[in-house]
Amino acid sequence: MSESAGISGPASELEQLIADLSQSGPLVFVFGDGLTTAHLVGTTTPVFRGPADRRWWHVELGDGATNWIMDVRVDEITGVRFVRAPYPFRPHFPGQEVLGVDFLGPGGDKVLHCGVHDLYDGERMRPEKLAAWRALRERYGDRGESRVDQGALRSPAA
């Protein structure tokens, strides 16, 4: 990958968060209104493309004949929210929670959600998954929500 071709590794705090998520193990990505999901069952090294004012997170998995490609406009993300909430599909899993990270668009709407996959062992939350999510949250400001300012995660009030 070369910088001259507009392809690089993480160039901002926001992109580093995406890289950390991508390399953390099984995740579920929920797009926009929640009608579209993609499950990442392993880890991937994310690729970022474009100049600072028009960045794309590019994921390509599989071989040339049967691959999956995802492109997300990173420069359009205006906020990040770390989420720990009741599982939304009750009564199927009463008492269970979800852990994840929401990426917010210009209107404050959720454009992408990244959820921790396989969070429960029966009815018990896996402590190592909770610890990893907490560590990630601490690494990125230890707050529930951040606004994105030129790729940096800032306090919403700042």
Side-chain angles (χ1 to χ4, degrees):
M1 292 185 254
S2 75
E3 295 287 338
S4 62
I7 300 172
S8 69
S12 69
E13 189 177 20
L14 173 62
E15 291 179 8
Q16 187 60 55
L17 170 59
I18 291 168
D20 287 349
L21 284 166
S22 299
Q23 296 168 356
S24 69
L27 300 169
V28 177
F29 292 97
V30 180
F31 299 88
D33 58 10
L35 297 176
T36 307
T37 64
H39 295 252
L40 178 62
V41 295
T43 62
T44 184
T45 301
V47 172
F48 298 92
R49 295 181 171 176
D53 64 337
R54 190 168 173 81
R55 295 285 284 176
W56 294 84
W57 166 30
H58 179 81
V59 179
E60 194 165 342
L61 300 171
D63 60 29
T66 56
N67 61 337
W68 177 78
I69 298 172
M70 176 180 80
D71 287 300
V72 176
R73 284 282 304 272
V74 175
D75 59 288
E76 293 288 325
I77 296 172
T78 60
V80 172
R81 182 183 309 132
F82 281 83
V83 178
R84 182 175 184 177
Y87 192 80
F89 303 110
R90 292 186 237 163
H92 302 293
F93 303 99
Q96 291 192 1
E97 296 177 293
V98 293
L99 298 176
V101 179
D102 289 345
F103 295 90
L104 310 175
D109 296 329
K110 180 171 52 172
V111 294
L112 178 67
H113 171 81
C114 179
V116 177
H117 182 66
D118 199 24
L119 184 57
Y120 281 83
D121 180 12
E123 293 184 16
R124 184 177 155 269
M125 184 184 287
R126 297 177 192 272
E128 69 278 8
K129 301 244 180 182
L130 177 59
W133 179 85
R134 283 181 172 157
L136 189 68
R137 178 185 157 129
E138 287 174 16
R139 191 174 318 132
Y140 290 96
D142 201 17
R143 56 186 166 262
E145 191 166 331
S146 298
R147 66 181 174 85
V148 177
D149 180 14
Q150 297 180 344
L153 303 183
R154 306 277 189 231
S155 174

